[in-house]
Structures are given as C-alpha cells and as structure tokens.
Amino acid sequence: MAAQRLSRRQKQILQWLAADQQRTRGMIASSHQDLVRALPGDKGNTSHSLRTLEIRGLIVIGRSPGGKAESVWLTSEGQKGAAQLTGSCD
C-alpha cells in the first residue's frame, strides 16, 4: 500500500468503507449507492476512484447481472490500507 499513492477521494472511500464495515461488523457489504451519497462531489469522480481502487486490489465491487455496481467491500489489502490511514493497528 505504501508504494501506491492515493487521491483524497480514494482515501475517503477507504475510510468510509472501513467505518461501514466496522458498523456492520463485516456481515453486510457496503451499498454502492450509500457510498456515493455519503461522499461529497460528483458521482463520476467517485466511480473512477472506485474502479482504480478495484484495479489495485484494495476493494471488490459487486455488480448486478447487468453490470451495475451494487455493493463494495474492502479486500484484506484494503483493510490494511484503511487502518494505516486511520492510524489503527487492527
């Protein structure tokens, strides 16, 4: 994770996903729509950042049969990255 630079938006996404995962105790994947609504800014920028994080292996985007993003969750690498951002050592 240290070798990859993250944009402010990407950091916000990782932090939001980590908080949502903690809230649901990891039992429910985070809603793509909830994530987009929770972050300020335009949907296109958020969607681009999500795709970049997915390519880097930090998140997984669950899609409907039609290809629409429905859910998002952190990979183990994404959890480590989010922990580094928040300063926690979980």
Side-chain angles (χ1 to χ4, degrees), residues 64-81:
S64 70
K68 183 178 177 183
E70 292 183 330
S71 59
V72 184
W73 62 93
L74 293 169
T75 63
S76 58
E77 269 309 299
Q79 290 172 358
K80 291 175 191 174

Side-chain angles (χ1 to χ4, degrees), residues 4 9 18 20 45 58 72:
Q4 298 178 353
R9 174 59 46 129
D20 196 53
N45 189 11
L58 299 174
V72 184

Side-chain angles (χ1 to χ4, degrees), residues 81-90:
Q84 288 177 356
L85 292 172
T86 59
S88 64
C89 298
D90 294 15

Side-chain angles (χ1 to χ4, degrees), residues 13-34:
I13 290 169
L14 292 179
Q15 290 170 330
W16 188 91
L17 288 170
D20 196 53
Q21 184 177 29
Q22 187 174 31
R23 181 184 63 78
T24 64
R25 296 188 176 122
M27 302 301 287
I28 301 171
S30 301
S31 162
H32 178 267
Q33 287 183 335
D34 290 345

Side-chain angles (χ1 to χ4, degrees), residues 10 47-59 61:
Q10 292 166 344
S47 293
H48 176 75
S49 293
L50 285 167
R51 284 191 301 276
T52 301
L53 290 171
E54 184 178 39
I55 290 167
R56 291 181 178 183
L58 299 174
I59 66 168
I61 301 173

